[in-house]
Amino acid sequence: MPRNEKPLRPKVIVTRKLPEAAEARMAELFDVELNEDDHAFSREELAAAVRSCDVLVPTLTDRIDGDLIRGAPERLQLIASYGAGTDHLDLAAANKKGIVVTNTPGVLTEDTADLVMALILSVPRRLQEGEKMLRAGQWAGWAPMALQGHSLTGKALGIFGMGRIGRAVAVRARACGLTIHYHNRTRLSEAEEKEIAARYWPELDEMLASIDILTINAPQTPQTKGAIDARRLSMIKKESYIINAGRGGIVDQDALIEALAEGRISGAGLDVYPNEPEVDPRLLALNNVVLLPHMGSATFEGRTAMANKVIANIRVWMDGARPPDLVESP
Ligand code: DGY
């Protein structure tokens, strides 16, 4: 079928289990193939999927690289990804082939910001260490010197990536007494900066030396991949913390582990890792880190809203219009 003609009832392959109501709605609207047992698709399954559908609905666990895209027949016209991040998709290859790509931004902003804030609270205050000690039956009672962490009030939070999530984190962090600093490709407007009392740092290096907590809320792109490397980690103050709920690949994990193990950074809160679901055993052995299994957007409300966005994007595309969450290659 030529690309400008849309099938009345497109064949849609969804690679992971989605909220039930959304799957039911998809079955009403599309000729949908669902993933009943929610296994992560192998590369062979992904290759078979791209060969046999009009619309692919992958998630961040599916690496849709250039080879897969180039191997897709004309029939594949839309990749309606479930999730905000698009680093698992070769956007340039898709664009070159005329395949439309959409994502689901906006609806996971507040939930992800909540999780970032939870990590900002947990790590400097050593909440996971306290809980672990209590569960292990090692709590001998209150003591003036026990489990001291660091106050948040008056500390400087540096936000790397001031998009929707970064701004939502700033709002929460201000309520906890943190001052807001940020580095972003583009500067916020004066009014936006004023609203959250944020100081812009055009140079990431300079911001790093001035903050007490760094939160990474940037997307992973060729520009941000590996941006927090050994050199930049060495610029961060000793009594500081790193929170990453963006993408694991933005931080040089070996360098981070070394800095944490040597006490050059006080602690870290991580929700993402470079090769998920692998978690480096050296991280597991560290006490000063909180490790979460990529659950920033894991709420019933958020995951349903994400699925509804996928449906809306497919329907608008079926109507021949520009889908609301169109993603283009940078
Ligand atoms: C996304 O949508 O990219 C998030 O990482 C999922 O939590």
Side-chain angles (χ1 to χ4, degrees), residues 288-313:
N288 51 347
V289 294
V290 174
L291 302 171
L292 298 179
H294 200 150
M295 55 190 288
S297 66
T299 64
F300 294 111
E301 296 85 349
R303 293 283 160 88
T304 298
M306 287 161 74
N308 289 339
K309 270 204 161 247
V310 168
I311 295 172
N313 280 313

Tab-separated table of all heavy atoms in Angstrom, residues 288-313:
chain	number	residue	atom	x	y	z
A	288	ASN	N	26.096	3.222	49.712
A	288	ASN	CA	25.652	4.608	49.539
A	288	ASN	C	24.879	4.832	48.236
A	288	ASN	O	24.906	5.914	47.671
A	288	ASN	CB	26.850	5.572	49.625
A	288	ASN	CG	27.992	5.158	48.706
A	288	ASN	OD1	27.999	4.046	48.179
A	288	ASN	ND2	28.954	6.052	48.527
A	289	VAL	N	24.232	3.787	47.734
A	289	VAL	CA	23.400	3.976	46.545
A	289	VAL	C	22.014	3.377	46.757
A	289	VAL	O	21.854	2.370	47.437
A	289	VAL	CB	24.018	3.345	45.254
A	289	VAL	CG1	25.294	4.033	44.844
A	289	VAL	CG2	24.236	1.865	45.417
A	290	VAL	N	21.035	4.024	46.171
A	290	VAL	CA	19.679	3.477	46.124
A	290	VAL	C	19.458	3.037	44.689
A	290	VAL	O	19.671	3.830	43.760
A	290	VAL	CB	18.626	4.529	46.533
A	290	VAL	CG1	17.214	3.980	46.346
A	290	VAL	CG2	18.830	4.956	47.973
A	291	LEU	N	19.092	1.785	44.496
A	291	LEU	CA	18.952	1.239	43.152
A	291	LEU	C	17.512	0.840	42.904
A	291	LEU	O	16.954	0.004	43.630
A	291	LEU	CB	19.862	0.011	43.002
A	291	LEU	CG	21.350	0.270	43.262
A	291	LEU	CD1	22.127	-1.037	43.298
A	291	LEU	CD2	21.933	1.200	42.208
A	292	LEU	N	16.927	1.426	41.893
A	292	LEU	CA	15.535	1.102	41.554
A	292	LEU	C	15.485	0.506	40.148
A	292	LEU	O	16.326	0.813	39.304
A	292	LEU	CB	14.671	2.369	41.606
A	292	LEU	CG	14.577	3.058	42.967
A	292	LEU	CD1	13.718	4.319	42.853
A	292	LEU	CD2	13.999	2.128	44.026
A	293	PRO	N	14.469	-0.329	39.880
A	293	PRO	CA	14.380	-0.998	38.582
A	293	PRO	C	13.584	-0.196	37.542
A	293	PRO	O	12.486	-0.615	37.159
A	293	PRO	CB	13.681	-2.312	38.939
A	293	PRO	CG	12.799	-1.958	40.088
A	293	PRO	CD	13.473	-0.849	40.843
A	294	HIS	N	14.114	0.895	37.068
A	294	HIS	CA	13.507	1.746	36.027
A	294	HIS	C	11.981	1.836	36.209
A	294	HIS	O	11.216	1.330	35.377
A	294	HIS	CB	13.851	1.210	34.624
A	294	HIS	CG	13.693	2.258	33.560
A	294	HIS	ND1	14.439	2.290	32.416
A	294	HIS	CD2	12.857	3.337	33.468
A	294	HIS	CE1	14.087	3.316	31.660
A	294	HIS	NE2	13.121	3.969	32.282
A	295	MET	N	11.599	2.488	37.294
A	295	MET	CA	10.167	2.534	37.619
A	295	MET	C	9.634	3.964	37.720
A	295	MET	O	8.580	4.196	38.314
A	295	MET	CB	9.898	1.742	38.909
A	295	MET	CG	10.725	2.188	40.096
A	295	MET	SD	10.590	1.068	41.509
A	295	MET	CE	8.938	1.428	42.071
A	296	GLY	N	10.345	4.909	37.099
A	296	GLY	CA	9.944	6.316	37.188
A	296	GLY	C	8.510	6.587	36.760
A	296	GLY	O	7.818	7.413	37.343
A	297	SER	N	8.052	5.890	35.734
A	297	SER	CA	6.691	6.156	35.241
A	297	SER	C	5.712	5.058	35.655
A	297	SER	O	4.611	4.977	35.102
A	297	SER	CB	6.710	6.286	33.721
A	297	SER	OG	7.050	5.047	33.127
A	298	ALA	N	6.117	4.224	36.602
A	298	ALA	CA	5.305	3.045	36.928
A	298	ALA	C	4.136	3.367	37.869
A	298	ALA	O	4.141	3.021	39.051
A	298	ALA	CB	6.190	1.956	37.525
A	299	THR	N	3.135	4.041	37.325
A	299	THR	CA	1.883	4.221	38.068
A	299	THR	C	0.756	3.718	37.165
A	299	THR	O	0.898	3.736	35.938
A	299	THR	CB	1.605	5.706	38.410
A	299	THR	OG1	1.416	6.424	37.190
A	299	THR	CG2	2.733	6.325	39.210
A	300	PHE	N	-0.327	3.301	37.778
A	300	PHE	CA	-1.473	2.841	36.972
A	300	PHE	C	-1.942	3.972	36.060
A	300	PHE	O	-2.232	3.778	34.884
A	300	PHE	CB	-2.623	2.388	37.877
A	300	PHE	CG	-2.270	1.154	38.681
A	300	PHE	CD1	-2.103	1.221	40.054
A	300	PHE	CD2	-2.109	-0.076	38.059
A	300	PHE	CE1	-1.769	0.094	40.789
A	300	PHE	CE2	-1.780	-1.218	38.781
A	300	PHE	CZ	-1.612	-1.131	40.157
A	301	GLU	N	-1.993	5.177	36.662
A	301	GLU	CA	-2.505	6.327	35.899
A	301	GLU	C	-1.593	6.651	34.714
A	301	GLU	O	-2.053	6.857	33.595
A	301	GLU	CB	-2.606	7.562	36.817
A	301	GLU	CG	-3.604	7.439	37.958
A	301	GLU	CD	-3.024	6.757	39.205
A	301	GLU	OE1	-1.908	6.187	39.124
A	301	GLU	OE2	-3.692	6.762	40.258
A	302	GLY	N	-0.286	6.701	35.003
A	302	GLY	CA	0.670	7.080	33.970
A	302	GLY	C	0.726	6.057	32.844
A	302	GLY	O	0.732	6.426	31.662
A	303	ARG	N	0.781	4.785	33.210
A	303	ARG	CA	0.922	3.758	32.172
A	303	ARG	C	-0.348	3.693	31.301
A	303	ARG	O	-0.282	3.387	30.113
A	303	ARG	CB	1.232	2.409	32.813
A	303	ARG	CG	2.607	2.370	33.483
A	303	ARG	CD	3.728	2.227	32.456
A	303	ARG	NE	5.025	2.644	32.965
A	303	ARG	CZ	5.892	1.868	33.617
A	303	ARG	NH1	5.579	0.602	33.865
A	303	ARG	NH2	7.047	2.338	34.020
A	304	THR	N	-1.504	3.987	31.899
A	304	THR	CA	-2.741	4.014	31.109
A	304	THR	C	-2.729	5.223	30.179
A	304	THR	O	-3.066	5.122	28.999
A	304	THR	CB	-3.963	4.064	32.058
A	304	THR	OG1	-3.932	2.873	32.831
A	304	THR	CG2	-5.278	4.140	31.306
A	305	ALA	N	-2.298	6.363	30.717
A	305	ALA	CA	-2.244	7.572	29.881
A	305	ALA	C	-1.261	7.392	28.728
A	305	ALA	O	-1.502	7.869	27.604
A	305	ALA	CB	-1.856	8.777	30.736
A	306	MET	N	-0.170	6.683	28.970
A	306	MET	CA	0.802	6.431	27.897
A	306	MET	C	0.155	5.586	26.795
A	306	MET	O	0.304	5.860	25.604
A	306	MET	CB	2.039	5.706	28.456
A	306	MET	CG	2.947	6.598	29.292
A	306	MET	SD	4.062	5.665	30.372
A	306	MET	CE	5.249	5.024	29.196
A	307	ALA	N	-0.599	4.554	27.213
A	307	ALA	CA	-1.264	3.686	26.220
A	307	ALA	C	-2.303	4.480	25.434
A	307	ALA	O	-2.429	4.318	24.211
A	307	ALA	CB	-1.919	2.503	26.930
A	308	ASN	N	-3.018	5.364	26.121
A	308	ASN	CA	-4.015	6.175	25.412
A	308	ASN	C	-3.356	7.091	24.394
A	308	ASN	O	-3.915	7.373	23.336
A	308	ASN	CB	-4.858	6.982	26.406
A	308	ASN	CG	-5.790	6.067	27.190
A	308	ASN	OD1	-6.091	4.950	26.734
A	308	ASN	ND2	-6.231	6.497	28.357
A	309	LYS	N	-2.158	7.562	24.734
A	309	LYS	CA	-1.429	8.403	23.767
A	309	LYS	C	-1.031	7.595	22.534
A	309	LYS	O	-1.091	8.096	21.418
A	309	LYS	CB	-0.174	8.983	24.424
A	309	LYS	CG	-0.444	10.305	25.089
A	309	LYS	CD	0.809	11.142	25.225
A	309	LYS	CE	0.403	12.570	25.456
A	309	LYS	NZ	0.703	13.492	24.424
A	310	VAL	N	-0.616	6.355	22.756
A	310	VAL	CA	-0.270	5.505	21.609
A	310	VAL	C	-1.491	5.375	20.701
A	310	VAL	O	-1.401	5.546	19.473
A	310	VAL	CB	0.200	4.097	22.085
A	310	VAL	CG1	0.272	3.130	20.914
A	310	VAL	CG2	1.557	4.195	22.775
A	311	ILE	N	-2.647	5.094	21.306
A	311	ILE	CA	-3.881	4.926	20.514
A	311	ILE	C	-4.200	6.214	19.758
A	311	ILE	O	-4.510	6.199	18.569
A	311	ILE	CB	-5.053	4.499	21.427
A	311	ILE	CG1	-4.771	3.103	22.016
A	311	ILE	CG2	-6.382	4.510	20.662
A	311	ILE	CD1	-5.756	2.643	23.081
A	312	ALA	N	-4.097	7.340	20.454
A	312	ALA	CA	-4.418	8.628	19.806
A	312	ALA	C	-3.472	8.883	18.634
A	312	ALA	O	-3.905	9.310	17.557
A	312	ALA	CB	-4.319	9.763	20.822
A	313	ASN	N	-2.195	8.594	18.829
A	313	ASN	CA	-1.236	8.811	17.733
A	313	ASN	C	-1.574	7.938	16.529
A	313	ASN	O	-1.519	8.397	15.384
A	313	ASN	CB	0.192	8.531	18.221
A	313	ASN	CG	0.760	9.702	19.009
A	313	ASN	OD1	0.654	10.853	18.585
A	313	ASN	ND2	1.338	9.421	20.161
